[in-house]
Amino acid sequence: MTRSSELFSRAQKRIPGGVNSPVRAFRNVDGAPFFVARAEGAKIWDVDGNEYIDYVGSWGPAILGHAPKVVVDALRETATRGLSFGIPNPLEVEMAELICDWMPSIEKVRMVNSGTEATMSCIRVARAFTGRDKIIKFDGCYHGHVDALLVKTGSGPLTHGQPSSAGVPPAFVDLTISLPFNDVELLRKAFQENKDEIAAVILEPIPANAGLYFAKEKFLSVLREECTRDGALLIFDEVITGFRVARGGAQEIYGIKPDLTALGKIIGGGLPVGAFGGRAEIMDELSPDGPVYQAGTLSGNPLAMAAGLAQLRELEKINGWKLLEESGAQFERIALDALKHAKIDVTFHRLGSLFCLFFASGPIIDLASAQRSNLKRFARVFHACLKRGVYFAPSQFETGFISTAHTAQDIERTGVAVREALAGL
């Protein structure tokens, strides 16, 4: 018995499913998880001594790789002065100023402890600001495990064939309208049929929880126009894309200004974190200035703020987005070369350091087309790559992450592993 299998057996006795987040269970690939002993740069090592090139990166936060020196040093220095205060600290102000500077749509921001908290709070403040109740979301977009948004979601619930969750009363989702992504006509129809009733539209501007696909030309601009015309708020969930796809996130790339934005992952440098912000007049609805209550014992805690600030400043210092694009382009060239020899239907998507290989023919533009993927083929390739020391997310419906720590040699080695895995089909 391996050390990982022993730990998993113990975990299953005391932790539901043996994991603290469902996708980690490897059930979608008919396997069992390995347990990590340590991580550094682009590599992780399991408790049995196996080394892997990691393209999960803690599901996105590790944009500089694992345990980058600048982040570890910042944490070590900050920890000597205290771990949590429950009262304001200077690092919260620095983080707020940096976020507002890099994302001009955000005039005021509040820190929370997860992406789920961020999206949940966006919905609450949007309903209060507009005096309306209905929410529009899009099939396949995952916004955390918020009751009102667990309708036709992506990520974990999609992986396990549960587009909604038990324990969510029908009344909680009765006010949520879920539409196909990229369908302008249905979007307009939804606004027409619910005129003056929609509080907000929430979406991932680059959906990255049902694989990775992109908005058609004008889809986001039409969405912005419809929200403005109807008086609804536009919420961008940039928990994944914020400060990863560009310095100013997806909204910088597309030139669309949302009313509210949810952030997370990278701004915590690997520690639990979330944030949400937007127009000052909306954010002023929050207590203690306004009637919308929102609070958190560890919100803005000094460790997460120090780690996030160190990571973001290092990204700017090294022009990390340029480096990530270069590594992403190399990865794409190698992947496409490997796919040329594969005699199966595959579609490869990439934007910057985000990527996904669908085991389905294109085009893939929404959840329905993503779900054409052959999950058995994905599972076989996943295990073949893992055996060769390359770790991708254990689900067809997750996005891969490249970090600035991935070297050209790492990517070349990955290409060999993928080519051999595909040949094995």
Side-chain angles (χ1 to χ4, degrees):
M1 176 181 280
T2 65
R3 178 74 173 138
S4 277
S5 60
E6 177 192 346
L7 282 167
F8 191 47
S9 178
R10 287 169 53 191
Q12 288 175 300
K13 294 176 183 178
R14 298 299 181 192
I15 303 172
V19 292
N20 284 308
S21 192
V23 75
R24 300 178 192 175
F26 282 43
R27 290 186 184 178
N28 196 54
V29 290
D30 297 321
F34 60 86
F35 282 64
V36 177
R38 68 184 182 95
E40 182 179 352
K43 307 285 179 58
I44 54 177
W45 290 265
D46 68 19
V47 292
D48 294 294
N50 299 304
E51 176 186 291
Y52 306 94
I53 301 172
D54 178 25
Y55 289 99
V56 176
S58 194
W59 304 98
I63 196 169
L64 297 177
H66 293 288
K69 186 176 184 302
V70 291
V71 173
V72 173
D73 287 349
L75 281 170
R76 185 179 291 115
E77 179 186 351
T78 304
T80 62
R81 299 195 295 270
L83 305 182
S84 179
F85 309 129
I87 196 168
N89 71 84
L91 296 173
E92 296 174 82
V93 183
E94 292 181 38
M95 177 62 81
E97 289 174 340
L98 184 148
I99 288 173
C100 293
D101 181 44
W102 288 17
M103 280 191 171
S105 73
I106 299 179
E107 297 172 347
K108 289 189 177 182
V109 62
R110 179 162 284 182
M111 304 307 303
V112 290
N113 294 293
S114 69
T116 293
E117 280 188 60
T119 57
M120 176 183 70
S121 301
C122 281
I123 296 300
R124 184 180 300 161
V125 75
R127 283 173 163 157
F129 182 78
T130 61
R132 303 172 179 181
D133 296 329
K134 292 185 178 180
I135 301 294
I136 290 178
K137 69 173 294 291
F138 294 92
D139 302 350
C141 285
Y142 176 68
H143 305 293
H145 56 98
V146 182
D147 282 357
L149 299 176
L150 279 174
V151 183
K152 295 188 178 179
T153 60
S155 193
L158 180 59
T159 296
H160 294 283
Q162 298 172 356
S164 58
S165 172
V168 178
F172 280 36
V173 296
D174 282 348
L175 298 171
T176 303
I177 302 164
S178 194
L179 302 174
F181 193 80
N182 273 322
D183 193 322
V184 168
E185 295 309 311
L186 277 181
L187 173 66
R188 285 177 169 150
K189 183 179 180 182
F191 269 102
Q192 291 167 2
E193 294 180 351
N194 298 275
K195 185 173 173 56
D196 300 328
E197 295 182 81
I198 297 169
V201 178
I202 185 169
L203 79 160
E204 295 176 86
I206 301 171
N209 280 290
L212 177 71
Y213 46 85
F214 311 109
K216 289 181 179 178
E217 186 181 4
K218 296 185 178 180
F219 177 69
L220 294 178
S221 59
V222 169
L223 180 54
R224 174 68 275 181
E225 291 167 5
E226 290 294 325
C227 285
T228 302
R229 182 180 298 114
D230 188 70
L233 300 188
L234 177 58
I235 304 170
F236 272 10
D237 179 346
E238 294 223 46
V239 170
I240 287 178
T241 56
F243 308 125
R244 174 172 281 278
V245 296
R247 186 176 182 268
Q251 54 197 264
E252 176 185 307
I253 291 176
Y254 292 111
I256 302 293
K257 188 175 181 180
D259 300 298
L260 290 169
T261 299
L263 298 168
K265 299 190 183 286
I266 287 170
I267 63 170
L271 275 69
V273 76
F276 68 102
R279 285 163 39 201
E281 61 177 324
I282 301 172
M283 295 300 290
D284 285 342
E285 291 286 315
L286 289 169
S287 177
D289 288 340
V292 179
Y293 191 74
Q294 182 279 323
T297 299
L298 296 176
S299 295
N301 77 84
L303 292 182
M305 297 297 94
L309 285 167
Q311 178 152 271
L312 291 168
R313 287 167 177 162
E314 183 69 8
L315 272 174
E316 186 171 45
K317 178 182 175 182
I318 65 175
N319 196 356
W321 301 281
K322 180 174 181 292
L323 297 176
L324 290 167
E325 172 57 33
E326 290 169 355
S327 294
Q330 180 196 6
F331 189 98
E332 181 172 0
R333 287 194 300 271
I334 288 172
L336 292 178
D337 181 66
L339 295 178
K340 280 193 305 186
H341 306 287
K343 298 176 181 178
I344 56 174
D345 289 329
V346 286
T347 302
F348 181 80
H349 284 178
R350 179 187 73 88
L351 192 153
S353 58
L354 301 175
F355 67 87
C356 183
L357 176 63
F358 292 98
F359 285 81
S361 58
I364 293 176
I365 58 168
D366 56 17
L367 176 62
S369 48
Q371 287 185 307
R372 296 198 307 260
S373 300
N374 187 315
L375 302 186
K376 292 188 181 299
R377 282 179 176 166
F378 170 83
R380 288 178 61 186
V381 169
F382 167 83
H383 286 293
C385 287
L386 195 66
K387 183 179 179 181
R388 290 165 173 79
V390 176
Y391 175 48
F392 295 119
S395 167
Q396 169 69 88
F397 304 112
E398 298 287 354
T399 294
F401 299 92
I402 298 170
S403 74
T404 60
H406 283 87
T407 66
Q409 291 74 26
D410 291 331
I411 295 172
E412 289 285 350
R413 182 178 147 197
T414 300
V416 172
V418 171
R419 191 177 297 111
E420 291 176 354
L422 289 170
L425 292 176

